[in-house]
Amino acid sequence: MLPLPALLALTTTVFLGCLTEVLPAGLLLGMSAELGVSPSATGQLVTVYAITTALTAIPLTGATLRVPRKRLLLVLIAGFLLTNLLIAVSSSYPLILAARVVSGALTGVMWSLVAGYAMRLAPPGLTGRALAVAMSGTPIGFALGVPAGTALGELADWRWAFAAMALITVPLLAWVIAVVPAVPADPAASTRPLAAFRLPGMRPVLATVALFSLGHNVAYTYIGPVLAGLDVARMLGVVLLVFGCATVGGLVVVGAALDRHPRAVLMFCTGVTAAAIVLLEIGDGVHGLVLTAAALWGLAFGGAPTAFQAVTALIAGPTADAAQSLTIAAWNGAVAGGALIGGLLLPSGTSSLPWVAAFVILVPLTFSRRVVLSAPAYRCLDA
């Protein structure tokens, strides 16, 4: 039986990390006006966050591997409290940018920590479901948190959205203290996460992670211009809502299958995501096809991060915490790369973005059989 109170505390931590990362995109205009900077400069608050997470995940995870897991989790949550509170009260763009850098570094460690924590709390045979529960904070953040935070920023002020995130951490700290079991650090654990790169099957997985995230962000970052090119720009809000809600369903599907068929789950996520992005383009603005594409895209994307982290843990076995930092670095580096590539393609027209995105996402299918799931302790190899 899954330890749901503890896992839901981890879910809330993931929700907080996800919302902290992406919320400025929904508050962009209000923040720009009050801080006296361009919307482009405000958008860099998201880009810098992702780049910081990518650059710091590996070294900071390595430096904290021997810290007791619960203590580290509490420190990270307290860090989110302080950085979001600072953003809520500050009128200085440079200071807010610095706070975003610190938050990005915290998030890199958080993703690595929570994935391993959830799988260590689960009984044998249920590690995939435990990870799916913990990581459900990400699709919930996209589906509910971002729209709610954006609405709060529009109704009151963008500062209240960041203040609300800071307030969430107070009961969360008490919740973690009360219900999350202490998990000791492994004193013999390697503090060199890069050593996991040499494990059999790790390089194909990391390539899959990077290419999937790269392709997804080429299209998703510029979904507004893509819809405008199809003459359905007014559907942006509905498309994002359908996508966000479908990600929750995708996580449920992946969580149910992950323990028994991890490799098949990876192929499902990549194949369906690419097909949905192509459907969006060839649907030629037909409303039903646009919404179907958004639903399929969200369904396949919703479980992808969880699947990647689970397969990483399967390959790494006892060094899973260290190996997770490689996955986090690959994913977040590709977030920034996808936005960059999409921005370079945009002047030539939006029609090329979905095709390039789909091609990049499908490349990993050519070497998916090289993914070696070699951690018998988790007992979830494909047949």
Side-chain angles (χ1 to χ4, degrees):
M1 186 173 178
L2 291 176
L4 283 179
L7 290 175
L8 291 175
L10 297 181
T11 302
T12 307
T13 303
V14 171
F15 171 85
L16 179 64
C18 173
L19 195 55
T20 298
E21 180 171 1
V22 302
L23 186 58
L27 304 172
L28 189 144
L29 295 180
M31 294 182 71
S32 299
E34 187 170 335
L35 295 175
V37 297
S38 68
S40 176
T42 305
Q44 297 309 306
L45 295 176
V46 177
T47 304
V48 166
Y49 193 108
I51 293 174
T52 302
T53 299
L55 293 178
T56 61
I58 295 174
L60 290 183
T61 297
T64 56
L65 280 175
R66 294 180 182 174
V67 177
R69 304 288 88 185
K70 185 171 182 177
R71 182 188 305 170
L72 180 59
L73 179 62
L74 291 170
V75 169
L76 295 175
I77 295 172
F80 285 127
L81 167 62
L82 295 175
T83 53
N84 284 322
L85 186 60
L86 177 61
I87 293 172
V89 301
S90 177
S91 298
S92 168
Y93 176 80
L95 185 58
I96 290 174
L97 186 64
R100 294 290 293 173
V101 169
V102 175
S103 291
L106 294 172
T107 299
V109 180
M110 184 272 290
W111 289 123
S112 301
L113 171 67
V114 168
Y117 213 139
M119 298 181 84
R120 291 172 72 178
L121 292 178
L126 294 177
T127 52
R129 294 186 185 184
L131 184 58
V133 171
M135 291 301 160
S136 64
T138 296
I140 292 172
F142 276 109
L144 302 177
V146 174
T150 301
L152 178 60
E154 292 175 348
L155 292 173
D157 184 84
W158 64 267
R159 297 182 183 280
W160 283 106
F162 284 96
M165 287 194 293
L167 291 175
I168 289 173
T169 62
V170 177
L172 178 58
L173 284 168
W175 189 1
V176 170
I177 291 171
V179 306
V180 177
V183 176
D186 183 358
S190 170
T191 56
R192 296 184 300 166
L194 286 175
F197 187 74
R198 296 191 293 269
L199 292 172
M202 184 62 73
R203 278 170 286 188
V205 168
L206 293 177
T208 302
V209 171
L211 290 169
F212 181 91
S213 179
L214 186 70
H216 165 78
N217 284 285
V218 164
Y220 186 80
T221 304
Y222 301 98
I223 186 64
V226 168
L227 293 176
L230 297 170
D231 199 27
V232 288
R234 62 189 179 279
M235 293 184 66
L236 176 60
V238 177
V239 166
L240 292 178
L241 178 62
V242 169
F243 175 91
C245 292
T247 60
V248 179
L251 188 62
V252 172
V253 172
V254 166
L258 194 53
D259 284 309
R260 298 184 63 184
H261 305 293
R263 187 182 288 110
V265 167
L266 286 186
M267 298 180 70
F268 166 82
C269 291
T270 54
V272 175
T273 298
I277 293 173
V278 169
L279 177 61
L280 181 66
E281 175 62 25
I282 65 176
D284 199 29
V286 176
H287 289 193
L289 292 178
V290 169
L291 294 179
T292 299
L296 289 174
W297 190 355
L299 185 70
F301 177 81
T306 299
F308 292 140
Q309 290 184 298
V311 172
T312 298
L314 288 171
I315 292 172
T319 61
D321 285 3
Q324 294 293 350
S325 65
L326 302 181
T327 303
I328 301 308
W331 179 275
N332 283 276
V335 170
L340 175 61
I341 292 173
L344 294 175
L345 293 172
L346 196 58
S348 63
T350 58
S351 61
S352 64
L353 293 178
W355 293 105
V356 171
F359 174 78
V360 172
I361 290 170
L362 286 174
V363 168
L365 293 182
T366 62
F367 51 74
S368 63
R369 298 302 301 178
R370 293 174 56 198
V371 176
V372 180
L373 305 180
S374 56
Y378 291 107
R379 296 181 183 176
C380 40
L381 302 181
D382 278 337

